Amino acid sequence: MTTLKIAATLALCTLLAGCSTFDRLKTVGEAPKLTAIQDPTAQPGYRPVNMPMPEVVVASYQPNSLFSNDARGFFKDQRAHKIGDILTVLVTIDDSAQISNTTARQRSSTNEAGVGGVLGSIFGGTGGGVPGLDVSADGSISTKSGMGDNGSGSVNRKETLETQVAAVVTQVLPNGNLVIEGRQEVRVNFEVRDLIVAGIVRPEDIHADNTIPSSKIAEARIAYGGRGQITDVQQPRYGQQIADAILPF
């Protein structure tokens, strides 16, 4: 049954790989196509953000006053504050980690017992063919077992990314926080680099020049990658990926 499942999986993967290969053959000699500009809220899988919100306070003005109780400043500026506004996200990532682990485990045990009479004469010092079982001539039995395990691993990672991307306000939460999402595609020499930024920001954290650092984004989702000829060469072939999925060890 297991053999049939593996065979069916290989056949399905072969068909899928064939379809993907056909699509790739159609674009031989052509640059990767850029995706069309689309409304993020109309994309499949888009979900409006729901967060715990404080009680809504209705805006009101005091007599002979220019201020309302929900005003954030006296002078109006150009910082993003409503759906459709654009602000610039300053993406700065400088992450490094060095981890090293070593484990060693070992266990051994020895047991002895005496067997006399008929049982002792049956074994007669042969051990009955049982691995790890020794029987002496007088019928005494001794067993020995052992187990050992050694492992080591290390991580040495360093990631640095510094760039800018414009994001659009897609939602204004009841407490005034802004949900933003931005995507940037750059094509250079048959290679497309994708940068995606999404999250929640406070209007107070937006600078006067309408920029905000990525460290001020709550629930930040930042993705940076690529697609094209160079990326294809760096990826394992389909057969290798299938082998890794079926035989992980």
Side-chain angles (χ1 to χ4, degrees):
M1 188 65 179
T2 303
T3 304
L4 293 176
K5 290 182 179 179
I6 295 176
T9 303
L10 290 175
L12 179 60
C13 293
T14 303
L15 292 176
L16 295 176
C19 296
S20 178
T21 302
F22 181 73
D23 293 336
R24 288 160 59 89
L25 290 175
K26 292 191 300 183
T27 60
V28 170
E30 298 181 1
K33 298 184 181 299
L34 300 178
T35 58
I37 298 176
Q38 301 175 353
D39 181 3
T41 62
Q43 300 305 307
Y46 174 80
R47 294 183 179 180
V49 177
N50 294 316
M51 301 290 288
M53 293 292 116
E55 183 179 355
V56 178
V57 178
V58 180
S60 62
Y61 289 87
Q62 298 297 327
N64 302 323
S65 175
L66 298 177
F67 288 95
S68 66
N69 60 346
D70 67 340
R72 298 181 182 272
F74 184 78
F75 298 102
K76 183 178 180 181
D77 56 34
Q78 299 300 317
R79 290 180 292 184
H81 66 282
K82 64 179 183 297
I83 295 177
D85 287 351
I86 297 176
L87 73 161
T88 302
V89 179
L90 308 178
V91 181
T92 303
I93 299 176
D94 189 0
D95 184 23
S96 61
Q98 292 184 351
I99 304 173
S100 179
N101 293 322
T102 302
T103 59
R105 182 178 59 181
Q106 188 172 1
R107 183 178 66 180
S108 62
S109 62
T110 301
N111 298 311
E112 294 184 357
V115 179
V118 178
L119 291 177
S121 62
I122 293 176
F123 286 103
T126 62
V130 180
L133 180 65
D134 296 328
V135 181
S136 61
D138 60 356
S140 61
I141 299 177
S142 63
T143 60
K144 297 180 179 180
S145 63
M147 181 180 63
D149 185 16
N150 294 307
S152 62
S154 62
V155 174
N156 188 356
R157 185 187 75 245
K158 183 174 180 59
E159 300 171 347
T160 302
L161 175 63
E162 187 171 349
T163 186
Q164 301 180 7
V165 60
V168 180
V169 177
T170 59
Q171 188 180 353
V172 178
L173 300 179
N175 64 346
N177 289 342
L178 310 177
V179 181
I180 64 171
E181 183 172 343
R183 179 168 182 169
Q184 182 184 85
E185 295 185 2
V186 180
R187 185 176 66 195
V188 179
N189 295 335
F190 291 84
E191 185 74 11
V192 176
R193 309 305 293 176
D194 294 328
L195 176 61
I196 302 174
V197 177
I200 304 173
V201 302
R202 297 191 311 166
E204 293 85 353
D205 293 330
I206 302 176
H207 297 167
D209 59 351
N210 199 34
T211 62
I212 185 171
S214 57
S215 59
K216 297 292 186 179
I217 301 178
E219 296 297 324
R221 301 293 184 269
I222 301 175
Y224 183 72
R227 49 190 169 89
Q229 294 181 353
I230 297 177
T231 303
D232 290 343
V233 173
Q234 292 176 338
Q235 297 297 320
R237 298 296 87 190
Y238 294 123
Q240 182 63 46
Q241 295 183 27
I242 294 173
D244 292 340
I246 298 177
L247 304 173
F249 302 104

